[in-house]
């Protein structure tokens, strides 16, 4: 899967795109697009890579991505099977910031939406009651008349901006230059890491993928992602561990081994460093949050 610039083209009868993806249609490579994206994960789970963030996602998660923020979602295989009655499903809305014209969003009454779209450049995850309300509105939009769709979209953005029940995803230091990033090379590295993180990975073997020497690769990767390759690998492994803690009834040692750790003490240390929690604490907090939701 080659990372590409994806640009949505609305039909002549519509000013923005909204569509439902089912099963394999949810698959995408590391990509970006000039449109702002509102994404509802109706049924799926796995690992997401958003800017320089790696972490788990699950049913009901709702995201808002600003223009040109690179992202990809690695869905669990069980949600890709068309024969499964619980096949994965998501709803995607893509729209230009200028959809309503520059004048409308500059009105005093709507300046909080303009600020929201600025924050969305780092990616936003919607939480709490706002997430539930937004999910219902997005669902309704699929079957609405085009005129009501655009009103619903503005309503969704106003709801998110007013409630402020969201958190930024990518770090403030992340900087994606769409015209300069070497998409083919970066995609090879990401794909290889996602497919092999449970095994031992060396800098040399990853550098060989893109025909670079070890030191040149280290400089290249850090210049593109603002972090070392091993920092990225740790985040992939811990992101997978978070999902297993949330969804699987495995003990911590089993999860550590499944994520590529042969030393469980080392797993504990790195998990705490990334999440600021111990694995069992993370699981307990997740269960509590799900119970409240």
């Amino acid at each position: 899967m080659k990372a590409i610039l994806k640009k949505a083209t609305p039909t002549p009868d519509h000013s923005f795109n909204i569509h439902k993806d089912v099963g394999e249609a949810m698959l995408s490579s590391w990509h970006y697009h000039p449109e702002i994206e509102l994404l509802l994960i109706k049924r799926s789970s796995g690992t997401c890579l958003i800017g320089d963030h790696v972490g788990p996602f699950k049913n009901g998660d709702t995201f808002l991505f600003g223009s040109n923020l690179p992202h990809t979602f690695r869905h669990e295989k069980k949600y890709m099977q068309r024969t499964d009655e619980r096949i994965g499903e998501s709803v995607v809305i893509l729209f230009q910031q200028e959809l309503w014209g520059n004048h409308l969003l500059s009105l005093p009454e709507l300046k909080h939406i303009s600020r929201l779209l600025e924050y969305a450049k780092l990616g936003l995850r919607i939480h709490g009651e706002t997430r539930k309300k937004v999910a219902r509105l997005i669902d309704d939009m699929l079957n609405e008349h085009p005129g009501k769709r655009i009103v619903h979209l503005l309503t969704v953005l106003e709801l998110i901006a007013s409630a402020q029940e969201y958190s930024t995803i990518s770090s403030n230091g992340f900087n994606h230059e769409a015209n300069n990033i070497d998409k083919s090379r970066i995609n090879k590295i990401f794909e290889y890491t996602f497919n092999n993180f449970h095994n031992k990975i060396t800098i040399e073997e990853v550098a060989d993928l893109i025909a670079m020497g070890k030191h040149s690769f280290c400089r290249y990767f850090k210049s593109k992602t603002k972090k070392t390759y091993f920092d990225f690998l740790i985040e992939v492994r811990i992101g997978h561990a978070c999902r297993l803690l949330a969804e699987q009834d495995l003990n911590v040692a089993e999860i550590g081994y499944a994520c590529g750790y042969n030393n469980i003490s080392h797993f504990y240390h790195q998990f705490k460093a990334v999440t600021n929690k111990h694995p069992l604490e993370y699981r307990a907090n997740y269960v509590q949050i799900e119970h409240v939701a």
Side-chain angles (χ1 to χ4, degrees):
M1 297 188 296
K2 183 179 179 180
I4 58 172
L5 165 65
K6 291 187 176 181
K7 185 169 174 59
T9 305
T11 66
D13 298 328
H14 299 86
S15 57
F16 68 96
N17 284 17
I18 176 170
H19 62 273
K20 179 169 67 175
D21 289 330
V22 176
E24 293 180 353
M26 296 191 298
L27 295 174
S28 67
S29 62
W30 173 249
H31 71 283
Y32 60 92
H33 38 70
E35 295 81 12
I36 296 166
E37 177 175 342
L38 187 60
L39 172 65
L40 167 63
I41 303 293
K42 293 194 67 176
R43 185 165 53 248
S44 187
S45 64
T47 302
C48 57
L49 176 59
I50 302 166
D52 60 359
H53 165 83
V54 179
F57 69 91
K58 64 184 186 306
N59 293 346
D61 277 353
T62 306
F63 301 90
L64 182 64
F65 302 137
S67 177
N68 290 327
L69 176 67
H71 56 278
T72 186
F73 285 73
R74 302 288 296 207
H75 300 267
E76 285 294 287
K77 290 183 180 179
K78 64 183 179 181
Y79 293 107
M80 300 293 103
Q81 304 301 319
R82 292 194 173 275
T83 57
D84 191 332
E85 62 181 11
R86 290 189 56 77
I87 189 170
E89 185 178 328
S90 65
V91 181
V92 181
I93 299 173
L94 295 165
F95 63 96
Q96 296 280 357
Q97 182 159 340
E98 298 81 17
L99 177 63
W100 297 279
N102 292 325
H103 177 67
L104 184 65
L105 292 185
S106 66
L107 294 175
E109 295 85 352
L110 298 181
K111 282 192 174 180
H112 59 312
I113 295 180
S114 293
R115 288 194 295 270
L116 174 73
L117 298 181
E118 280 297 311
Y119 298 148
K121 290 180 179 179
L122 295 177
L124 302 177
R125 188 190 296 260
I126 317 304
H127 302 297
E129 285 300 315
T130 304
R131 175 182 65 81
K132 296 177 183 178
K133 292 176 182 177
V134 166
R136 286 193 292 268
L137 284 168
I138 292 174
D139 248 348
D140 291 344
M141 287 174 67
L142 283 169
N143 303 312
E144 285 285 10
H145 182 275
K148 285 190 176 181
R149 282 183 174 181
I150 198 166
V151 173
H152 269 32
L153 178 57
L154 190 60
T155 300
V156 166
L157 296 177
E158 200 283 329
L159 175 61
I160 297 171
S162 298
Q164 297 186 12
E165 283 191 292
Y166 56 75
S167 57
T168 55
I169 300 171
S170 185
S171 71
N172 287 315
F174 181 77
N175 182 28
H176 171 61
E177 295 294 338
N179 294 324
N180 296 329
I181 191 168
D182 188 336
K183 298 179 292 294
S184 180
R185 285 179 169 182
I186 286 293
N187 188 63
K188 281 185 179 179
I189 298 166
F190 289 158
E191 288 296 305
Y192 184 82
T193 305
F194 274 119
N195 291 331
N196 295 279
F197 68 85
H198 51 281
N199 299 319
K200 181 180 179 181
I201 297 179
T202 66
I203 289 290
E204 288 80 5
E205 66 190 86
V206 182
D208 284 345
L209 289 174
I210 57 174
M212 277 190 177
K214 176 180 176 180
H215 299 296
S216 295
F217 168 79
C218 291
R219 289 193 298 270
Y220 166 78
F221 190 86
K222 191 163 188 179
S223 72
K224 297 300 182 183
T225 66
K226 312 305 179 191
K227 65 182 66 178
T228 69
Y229 176 75
F230 281 125
D231 285 340
F232 170 69
L233 176 59
I234 288 168
E235 289 182 352
V236 171
R237 286 173 168 165
I238 299 305
H240 187 65
C242 287
R243 184 180 56 76
L244 292 180
L245 284 163
E247 297 185 356
Q248 302 292 328
D249 188 22
L250 301 173
N251 64 46
V252 174
E254 290 173 320
I255 289 173
Y257 292 136
C259 296
Y261 291 93
N262 293 322
N263 185 315
I264 300 306
S265 295
H266 188 47
F267 170 59
Y268 267 93
H269 175 74
Q270 290 196 340
F271 192 95
K272 178 71 182 297
V274 172
T275 68
N276 203 31
K277 295 181 177 68
H278 292 298
L280 291 179
E281 182 185 2
Y282 177 91
R283 173 178 274 167
N285 288 350
Y286 179 87
V287 170
Q288 182 180 10
I289 291 170
E290 283 298 288
H291 178 70
V292 172

